[in-house]
Amino acid sequence: MKIGDLAKRTGLSTHTLRYYERIGLLPYADRDRSGQRDFDASILTWIEFLGRLKTTGMPIRDMLRYAALRDEGEATGPARRQMLEIHRQQVRMQIAELQECLLVLDTKIAGYASGEQRTKENDARPNTSRKPLRSRPAGPVTH
């Protein structure tokens, strides 16, 4: 598949795909007779995995290390697993922190919602304890 097709299918720009290839995140693509990149469809799974790593905050240097280990073959399976286990723990900590933040936001929103309800209730009920507003004098105010 040509780089433009790959870009459409992955949502990445051709510039990003070329960059990933240049730095080693993507294997170099075979070239067709005219010299254009011709990616195998199996690259889609790898790009999706890279996207997941990126979304979860894995730095590019770690993604590059993982990709290099992957290129070395089956013998690097334990090292790759260890990298992913460490990253998974970091993601779990991020999720726990985000859940705490979400709780704070939910509490704050609930406070505003109950305040709005109190305001609506007070607006609907006549308040006889308040003095009527006095109109201002028409002339200039002197202090």
Side-chain angles (χ1 to χ4, degrees), residues 27-40:
Y28 285 104
D30 292 331
R31 302 287 178 147
D32 64 12
R33 289 184 212 169
S34 64
Q36 293 183 336
R37 289 171 177 83
D38 191 17
F39 291 94
D40 186 81

Side-chain angles (χ1 to χ4, degrees), residues 127 130-136:
N127 189 346
R130 281 193 269 172
K131 294 180 182 177
L133 294 175
R134 294 184 186 185
S135 60
R136 292 187 174 176

Side-chain angles (χ1 to χ4, degrees), residues 48-134:
E48 182 180 350
F49 180 68
L50 290 175
R52 302 279 183 190
L53 294 178
K54 182 179 177 185
T55 297
T56 57
M58 182 179 274
I60 286 185
R61 70 178 175 277
D62 292 345
M63 293 167 61
L64 286 167
R65 183 168 170 252
Y66 186 92
L69 288 170
R70 178 179 177 256
D71 288 344
E72 290 178 27
E74 292 291 322
T76 64
R80 287 182 279 157
R81 186 189 74 235
Q82 183 180 18
M83 279 187 74
L84 294 178
E85 287 172 347
I86 291 168
H87 184 64
R88 177 181 60 192
Q89 186 57 36
Q90 292 168 344
V91 169
R92 284 182 172 159
M93 290 184 327
Q94 288 173 334
I95 289 170
E97 185 177 341
L98 287 172
Q99 286 174 328
E100 290 176 18
C101 292
L102 187 58
L103 180 60
V104 169
L105 289 172
D106 288 344
T107 302
K108 197 70 161 168
I109 290 168
Y112 284 119
S114 64
E116 290 170 2
Q117 184 60 35
R118 285 193 304 269
T119 301
K120 288 177 185 176
E121 289 170 2
N122 289 335
D123 286 347
R125 148 175 6 131
N127 189 346
T128 56
S129 66
R130 281 193 269 172
K131 294 180 182 177
L133 294 175
R134 294 184 186 185

